[in-house]
Amino acid sequence: MKLSQGPAFASAVSLTSAPDIHLLFMMGLVFVAGIAGMGTVGLLLLLAPLAMLFMARTKPRQVATVSAGPAGEPDGGAAPPPSSLNGGDQASQLN
């Protein structure tokens, strides 16, 4: 079975062998890459404020602690005063 080589096949072969087709192909690739790049930059500009909000919420809060002196016993090791929460019975028995 013989394939017919009509005018459509001959024009397709001559079209791909033309030197300008490579320039058109490269121009199409550059155009597609530009559209993809613009889409990426657009998405980054759109999502950057949302990302900043998300990052600001996850920061742990730092509590400032102030130390006024050495980390020892402030009264030289004496017993703490009796608590008045239990009633006055224990406080009066200690004195």
Side-chain angles (χ1 to χ4, degrees):
M1 183 168 162
K2 185 177 179 184
L3 294 173
S4 65
Q5 296 179 356
F9 182 74
S11 66
V13 171
S14 67
L15 181 65
T16 57
S17 65
D20 292 337
I21 191 70
H22 302 294
L23 293 175
L24 289 173
F25 181 69
M26 291 302 292
M27 196 170 73
L29 284 178
V30 168
F31 179 75
V32 168
I35 294 295
M38 285 178 59
T40 303
V41 170
L43 279 176
L44 284 173
L45 289 174
L46 195 70
L47 296 177
L50 295 176
M52 292 298 289
L53 285 174
F54 178 72
M55 289 176 62
R57 286 186 183 175
T58 59
K59 285 184 182 175
R61 294 184 180 213
Q62 295 180 353
V63 178
T65 58
V66 178
S67 62
E73 294 178 350
D75 57 353
S83 173
S84 62
L85 296 175
N86 313 15
D89 294 337
Q90 276 187 333
S92 63
Q93 287 176 358
L94 291 175
N95 291 331

